[in-house]
Amino acid sequence: MTKNVKDGCITLCRSNPVNIAWVPDLGYTMAGHSTGSGKQLLLDHDQINRIQSCIMSRTAKYTDMGWPEQAALWKYDLLSEPLLSSELGRLAAAKSYHNTDCVTLQPSPNPEDSSQDRYVVLDWTLSNGTWQFRAVFDGHAGHDTVEHVVETLPGMVQSALTALLSKDNELIAEAVSQMLKDTITSLDDDLTMDVLKLFPDVDAISNLSDDNIRAIINDQESGGTNSKVVTRCMRGTTVLISLVDPQRCNLWMRVMEPMPALGIRQPDGRWETSILSSYHNGTDAAERERIKNEHPGESECIVDDRVLGAIAVTRAVGDHLFKLPAAYTERVFMNAKPGFNISRKIEEFLGRNITPPYVSNRADVRYVKLEEKETLLIMCSDGLLDLYQDKGMALHGLGDFWVQLLAQREKPWDDSNLALYLLRDALGGEDADLVSRMITVELTFRWMDDTTILVQKVY
């Protein structure tokens, strides 16, 4: 590529079209005509300097991504500072709301790989003051369920909390805990009931032909009401919620799968860490035992640390393949358009679905009595766990590691956004080459899980 600068204009020429979308906030104007193999951009001198600086901050390199068996190399750009930090912050949509820092990252540029993670940060002014609601939703197999939960669940929790406060402003912890349990279970039960309104039981399904079923569920041309009902049951999401009262004396956590970590600074300066959940996943011994006890005699209810050998999560909203009889999957879900977006063939595990449900819509609720001490709450999707486990770190020690890392920030990429700081460490930390590779490699498929982090400074 050549760079020609003259009279306040810059022409970038190369054999392929120029991509300068990565230059942040340039505010350039396209000249509107071609200059041979390139485009002419009308820029002022400051913009020219910024483009030249960004070009000089990138070095093309190649990597096998740690997969030598693939016998392939992929191009990536080694970024130097400050471009590396700014590009990571841009891709991760780093933001701060009140006392909560947030990032969410899926670096693959392919539209079909767009992140299925979602997060919500809300402050509700209710009768006794301002409540803090924070949530991370780790969607899977598609966007339908997670979008529905994001749109529906916060309002359900707020309404239920308002109803509790109308009876007594001095809430007892057990009442809020039960409310959180009931609200999410109710949301998932509503998904089930919507499908049962269309197909009340297996006999009703057996009396219909495939054409009859497709006509009922693939109604996109007439508004898509039934299609939405079905697809919300075919996809799924985990749910992680925190709720803090106006006096910041009480914290409630509603947990499905990801492991929230709570760090509290003690008077002597030490940080003590608590993990506010078990890991709701087939790799967790307690979860495997629970499912086996619920399905006695079914040796394949857990296969290879997966429910029915197919799904890793053991508690979720949606995922009705694992909650309804097999006929609903075989006759209803498999006739839906669009169809399934899962990596394993349905036929491989459908025969194991004998006594559903296998995936639970019941989540843990943990309550913590807060004190007036510096307190950090770390919430994340399981993509963050994967990044650290890929480094060989044990799952049980991650919470304490995260808290100590944030409490003792001394890295050269130090950032006021604590969630971004933690993400940077997970991607490679001070290893600019590794971080660059993770966010710029030119792959045609997704190379890391969706990763979302919220760090709330409770006190």
Side-chain angles (χ1 to χ4, degrees):
M1 180 173 64
T2 61
K3 305 183 290 292
N4 303 314
V5 181
K6 182 179 180 182
D7 299 329
C9 296
I10 182 168
T11 302
L12 308 182
C13 300
R14 65 205 277 184
S15 57
N16 295 315
V18 175
N19 174 15
I20 63 167
W22 48 266
V23 182
D25 302 322
L26 280 176
Y28 59 76
T29 302
M30 294 295 294
H33 62 276
S34 174
T35 57
S37 60
K39 293 282 187 180
Q40 188 177 59
L41 312 178
L42 301 181
L43 309 171
D44 60 33
H45 284 288
D46 180 62
Q47 291 168 328
I48 291 169
N49 290 335
R50 291 171 64 190
I51 285 183
Q52 289 177 317
S53 175
C54 288
I55 291 171
M56 294 172 63
S57 297
R58 286 182 175 243
T59 303
K61 299 186 71 174
Y62 291 85
T63 177
D64 65 1
M65 292 298 288
W67 309 322
E69 68 279 2
Q70 296 292 325
L73 294 175
W74 294 276
K75 180 180 177 293
Y76 71 100
D77 288 330
L78 172 59
L79 308 181
S80 58
E81 295 293 1
L83 180 59
L84 178 57
S85 291
S86 65
E87 183 69 352
L88 176 58
R90 183 185 70 84
L91 289 172
K95 295 181 176 65
S96 295
Y97 304 94
H98 182 40
N99 64 349
T100 304
D101 297 333
C102 315
V103 292
T104 184
L105 176 67
Q106 175 44 255
S108 173
N110 299 327
E112 60 269 26
D113 293 332
S114 63
S115 177
Q116 295 172 39
D117 281 2
R118 303 290 188 273
Y119 70 84
V120 174
V121 176
L122 293 171
D123 292 335
W124 297 325
T125 301
L126 303 181
S127 60
N128 67 338
T130 300
W131 287 73
Q132 299 176 36
F133 176 92
R134 310 289 186 262
V136 174
F137 305 98
D138 189 343
H140 48 263
H143 299 268
D144 305 82
T145 307
V146 70
E147 287 286 359
H148 176 68
V149 173
V150 168
E151 292 170 2
T152 306
L153 184 60
M156 292 177 66
V157 174
Q158 183 180 9
S159 295
L161 182 58
T162 300
L164 281 177
L165 290 170
S166 68
K167 299 175 184 177
D168 187 356
N169 263 359
E170 298 298 325
L171 291 177
I172 59 174
E174 291 81 0
V176 178
S177 296
Q178 191 62 49
M179 177 272 292
L180 289 172
K181 290 179 182 178
D182 293 344
T183 303
I184 300 180
T185 300
S186 175
L187 172 59
D188 191 63
D189 288 345
D190 287 345
L191 298 182
T192 304
M193 291 305 301
D194 288 342
V195 169
L196 295 181
K197 289 175 184 177
L198 299 176
F199 307 99
D201 52 37
V202 173
D203 288 340
I205 294 173
S206 64
N207 290 329
L208 295 171
S209 69
D210 283 351
D211 286 340
N212 294 147
I213 292 173
R214 282 192 285 266
I216 293 171
I217 64 177
N218 298 321
D219 63 340
Q220 290 89 338
E221 293 185 1
S222 58
T225 299
N226 294 344
S227 175
K228 291 176 182 177
V229 165
V230 172
T231 53
R232 287 168 184 166
C233 289
M234 295 168 61
R235 327 301 183 199
T237 184
T238 59
V239 178
L240 176 59
I241 289 175
S242 73
L243 192 62
V244 178
D245 71 340
Q247 292 72 38
R248 293 184 294 173
C249 295
N250 304 285
L251 164 68
W252 292 266
M253 295 296 308
R254 177 70 158 89
V255 184
M256 282 180 170
E257 196 206 10
M259 302 190 311
L262 184 72
I264 300 176
R265 188 174 185 177
Q266 301 304 310
D268 61 3
R270 293 179 302 105
W271 283 81
E272 292 186 355
T273 304
S274 302
I275 299 298
L276 302 182
S277 165
S278 58
Y279 191 35
H280 295 156
N281 187 289
T283 60
D284 183 80
E287 285 293 281
R288 292 197 304 271
E289 191 65 22
R290 176 183 63 80
I291 293 172
K292 290 177 181 179
N293 289 338
E294 292 173 356
H295 303 278
E298 296 181 38
S299 60
E300 293 187 315
C301 62
I302 295 288
V303 178
D304 296 330
D305 292 337
R306 289 176 172 265
V307 178
L308 303 186
I311 188 171
V313 298
T314 56
R315 308 188 191 209
V317 174
D319 292 321
H320 283 67
L321 293 72
F322 308 96
K323 296 175 180 177
L324 292 172
Y328 283 85
T329 297
E330 191 171 24
R331 299 292 316 287
V332 178
F333 299 152
M334 292 184 73
N335 275 310
K337 303 293 182 183
F340 283 110
N341 181 26
I342 56 179
S343 59
R344 300 193 176 221
K345 292 182 179 179
I346 304 295
E347 295 81 2
E348 290 181 1
F349 62 86
L350 196 58
R352 298 169 182 154
N353 183 352
I354 301 169
T355 59
Y358 294 88
V359 171
S360 175
N361 62 13
R362 302 187 306 273
D364 285 343
V365 174
R366 301 293 177 90
Y367 168 74
V368 178
K369 184 70 174 175
L370 298 173
E371 302 178 57
E372 292 187 15
K373 297 177 181 177
E374 188 175 354
T375 303
L376 292 177
L377 176 63
I378 301 169
M379 304 166 63
C380 65
S381 61
D382 64 0
L384 183 64
L385 309 184
D386 291 345
L387 289 171
Y388 279 104
Q389 286 185 295
D390 287 346
K391 297 180 178 183
M393 296 185 67
L395 193 64
H396 63 81
L398 286 180
D400 187 60
F401 174 81
W402 295 338
V403 169
Q404 300 303 328
L405 178 75
L406 295 180
Q408 303 169 18
R409 297 192 311 280
E410 295 177 349
K411 304 296 184 182
W413 67 89
D414 196 351
D415 195 287
S416 59
N417 186 309
L418 300 184
L420 183 60
Y421 189 90
L422 185 55
L423 177 64
R424 171 69 180 261
D425 184 78
L427 291 171
E430 297 180 70
D431 189 337
D433 191 279
L434 182 54
V435 178
S436 297
R437 187 185 78 179
M438 291 296 288
I439 66 174
T440 71
V441 65
E442 297 179 5
L443 282 171
T444 57
F445 54 88
R446 196 172 68 162
W447 60 93
M448 63 172 278
D449 194 9
D450 306 334
T451 301
T452 297
I453 308 168
L454 270 59
V455 180
Q456 183 179 3
K457 296 177 277 289
V458 180
Y459 259 111

